[in-house]
Amino acid sequence: QVKPLGEVVLSVLYLFAGRPRRADMGSCLSVIADKFNANADFDFTVHLRVEEVDILRGGQLHDLLSASRRRDYIQDIRSGRHAASIIAPPCETHTRARHANRNGPPPLRSKAWPRGLPGLTSAQREQLRRSNLLADFAIEALEASVESGMLTIMEFPEDLGPARLGHPASLWQDKRLIALKGKATRGAILQ
């Protein structure tokens, strides 16, 4: 039997991790690391450290609406502290479901008005302001991750084109993400 020569620390930054739940990303990565470490063919073990950031996990310490916290995480990405990042910004104001019918919450944005439709209530504008702030941060974090060469995944619903009540907005329509073409690969997964 081969004895491990050492340990590799693999740090993953998971932005917008959501509440802890069965089979969440951190749990799945831990299972993969355990299976890797159980394989006797390798002469090292992987120590996985997943930093799961979300206000639902860390309260105000994880509030990404805070400019200073956003700056700190961008600096973490640029510093090379993490080997990989997962970015999964909230999509409730982008969701296609808002454009499906009139039975639920109304559309707040569209492809023509990606930052917000005109004529919204003050509460809807505030919801969009927060959502836009988090979306802009997610894109900045993705750009910084790509620039630093780290393995990065950004999870966000794909742009499926027009729906019954119009063409929903999507982060994938954003010129900053389009500019990453050739620097990053885009794909789709069925969830």
Side-chain angles (χ1 to χ4, degrees):
Q1 178 173 343
V2 178
K3 295 191 178 188
L5 292 177
E7 180 177 87
V8 173
V9 177
L10 180 62
S11 179
V12 178
L13 176 63
Y14 185 8
L15 297 170
F16 308 102
R19 63 176 168 64
R21 58 208 177 277
R22 191 177 135 261
D24 63 15
M25 189 63 75
S27 300
C28 291
L29 290 174
S30 291
V31 168
I32 292 169
D34 290 345
K35 285 183 180 179
F36 179 88
N37 290 335
N39 187 335
D41 293 339
F42 298 101
D43 56 358
F44 63 93
T45 59
V46 172
H47 174 71
L48 178 68
R49 187 176 69 83
V50 181
E51 185 176 346
E52 296 168 301
V53 179
D54 198 290
I55 197 165
L56 297 174
R57 290 176 183 253
Q60 292 304 309
L61 292 175
H62 287 185
D63 184 1
L64 295 174
L65 292 172
S66 162
S68 64
R69 285 190 186 84
R70 292 192 309 272
R71 276 192 305 271
D72 289 345
Y73 285 114
I74 295 297
Q75 181 55 38
D76 271 359
I77 291 168
R78 289 191 172 126
S79 74
R81 180 174 164 222
H82 305 285
S85 66
I86 302 166
I87 307 163
C91 60
E92 74 272 358
T93 65
H94 286 87
T95 182
R96 185 175 183 79
R98 287 179 176 267
H99 293 263
N101 57 53
R102 299 193 192 288
N103 297 331
L108 298 180
R109 56 174 92 233
S110 70
K111 184 175 183 179
W113 297 92
R115 303 296 284 184
L117 294 168
L120 298 174
T121 67
S122 60
Q124 290 169 325
R125 285 193 307 273
E126 176 58 18
Q127 184 181 12
L128 278 168
R129 183 192 70 77
R130 291 167 166 254
S131 181
N132 288 339
L133 231 165
L134 297 175
D136 289 342
F137 168 66
I139 292 170
E140 184 181 3
L142 179 65
E143 290 171 325
S145 297
V146 169
E147 288 168 14
S148 70
M150 73 169 47
L151 174 64
T152 302
I153 296 170
M154 182 164 158
E155 184 270 329
F156 200 80
E158 67 180 310
D159 177 7
L160 295 173
R164 176 180 264 165
L165 300 181
H167 196 142
S170 172
L171 287 189
W172 300 115
Q173 299 160 353
D174 190 286
K175 65 182 182 236
R176 295 165 293 175
L177 290 182
I178 293 168
L180 291 176
K181 188 175 182 178
K183 299 177 187 175
T185 302
R186 183 173 163 186
I189 58 171
L190 179 62
Q191 290 188 316

